[in-house]
């Protein structure tokens, strides 16, 4: 990939449901403790949608914030790419439903299912479509209502996940050096059973017995996923930095997937990036899958940690397994 950017992030927005589930709340219903959760994950609380909140109810807010930031209106959008594993409906796509809510009548719209790195897959696809002259203004969304696929009686997953939405308006780069410098994607479907939802798809459609066996919830072999995450995030970081023609010292801010503080620390250590250059906000949101990186990116910009011209390294890993990284000059 050339380091002359074709696509740039013109505006970023985020939104989370108002409801908060703290470690203390979980202590009341599960055999767990605030101390264990903080020590093993770094998470203190997560936002959880209420019964009347759909995925697209808070995603709409994130999208509108990103569009306001970029100075575009719905009629400017050529396309919508929506990364999620928790769409409001199996049919049609979350992207088409969002298109209607926004009134983005000119836009094509489709979903990407790539779990936690889904938003980075979406950015890469937007970059590729722009190179193919298939759009100049594309909304890339990463949003999840993971509470809908979480078993709150399973302490090994219930403490990890949260709900949230992030969105970016990707536009054609202006030629001043800002934009996506490199993208990288990878997958290994052989390891799928380590992190999956066994039932509820067309292989095993929803039935009363499937629901009673809780096969519609996420199952995860945490320790194995942890090891795979460290390896894949480290390799992805190396690959994207190499493709951008940079060295780690050129990275001003590392924005990794917010799954576990220990995975983040191991990734930063491998890349030779000190923790003061790493964005961490998982203590407030938990693991929000595809929303994780845009939530952190938006916060980094808001806090002034990411300023125009700075280089950010975005890297993620998730179910599939999938992994991806993007280097962006902000
Ligand atoms: N509270 C208290 N004890 C717990 C809890 C809990 N919430 N969960 C597990 N334990 C216990 C286990 O039962 C086990 O007990 P045992 O030793 O008596 O058997 C012990 O703690 C250690 O369990 P481990 O699973 O080995 O704990 P670990 O240190 O690996 O931490 C964790 C678990 C946090 C899940 C970690 O493995 C992890 O973060 N894995 C990666 C998750 C991830 O990154 N996912 C990314 C993709 S997510 C996606 O794609 C949607």
């Amino acid at each position: 990939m050339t380091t002359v950017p074709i696509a740039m992030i013109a505006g970023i927005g985020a939104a989370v449901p108002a409801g908060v589930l703290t470690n203390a709340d979980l202590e009341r219903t599960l055999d767990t403790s605030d101390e264990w959760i903080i020590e093993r994950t770094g998470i203190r609380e997560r936002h959880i949608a209420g019964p009347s909140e759909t995925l697209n109810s808070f995603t709409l807010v994130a999208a509108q914030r990103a569009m306001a930031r970029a100075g575009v209106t719905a009629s400017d959008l050529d396309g919508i790419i929506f990364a999620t594993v928790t769409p409001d409906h199996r049919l049609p796509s979350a992207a088409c439903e969002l298109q209607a809510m926004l009134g983005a009548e000119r836009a094509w719209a489709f979903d990407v299912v790539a779990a936690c790195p889904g938003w980075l897959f979406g950015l890469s696809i937007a970059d590729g479509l722009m190179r193919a002259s298939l759009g100049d203004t594309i909304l890339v969304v990463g949003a999840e209502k993971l509470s809908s696929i979480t078993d709150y009686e399973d302490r090994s997953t219930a403490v990890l996940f949260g709900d949230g939405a992030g969105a970016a308006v990707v536009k054609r780069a202006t030629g001043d050096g800002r934009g996506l410098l490199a993208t990288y994607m990878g997958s290994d479907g052989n390891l799928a059973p380590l992190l999956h939802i066994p039932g509820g798809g067309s292989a095993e459609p929803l039935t009363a017995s499937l629901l009673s066996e809780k096969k519609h919830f996420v199952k995860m072999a945490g320790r194995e996923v942890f090891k795979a995450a460290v390896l894949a995030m480290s390799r992805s970081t190396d690959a994207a930095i190499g493709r951008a023609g940079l060295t780690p010292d050129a990275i001003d801010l590392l924005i990794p997937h917010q799954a576990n503080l220990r995975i983040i620390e191991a990734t930063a250590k491998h890349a030779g990036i000190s923790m003061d250059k790493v964005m961490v906000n998982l203590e407030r949101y938990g693991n929000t899958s595809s929303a994780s990186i845009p939530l952190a990116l938006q916060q980094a910009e808001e806090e002034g940690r990411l300023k125009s011209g700075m280089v950010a390294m975005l890297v993620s890993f998730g179910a599939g397994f999938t992994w991806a990284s993007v280097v962006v000059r902000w």
Side-chain angles (χ1 to χ4, degrees), residues 105-161:
E105 287 168 12
R106 288 196 317 105
W108 41 257
F110 63 90
D111 287 3
V112 169
V113 182
C116 304
W119 189 72
L120 298 184
F121 274 64
L123 280 186
S124 306
I125 294 166
D127 182 61
L129 291 174
M130 247 170 229
R131 287 169 192 275
S133 300
L134 291 171
D136 289 322
T137 305
I138 301 174
L139 184 70
V140 182
V141 175
E144 304 288 358
K145 191 174 156 185
L146 293 180
S147 57
S148 68
I149 55 167
T150 300
D151 177 1
Y152 286 98
E153 291 178 353
D154 173 6
R155 68 177 183 174
S156 71
T157 53
V159 303
L160 303 176
F161 300 124

Side-chain angles (χ1 to χ4, degrees), residues 32 36 40-41 116 155 195 222-223 259-260 262-263 287 318-319:
T32 191
W36 191 96
R40 306 310 292 168
T41 72
C116 304
R155 68 177 183 174
L195 177 50
R223 213 171 298 180
N260 185 310
R262 291 179 294 140
I263 296 175
N287 179 349

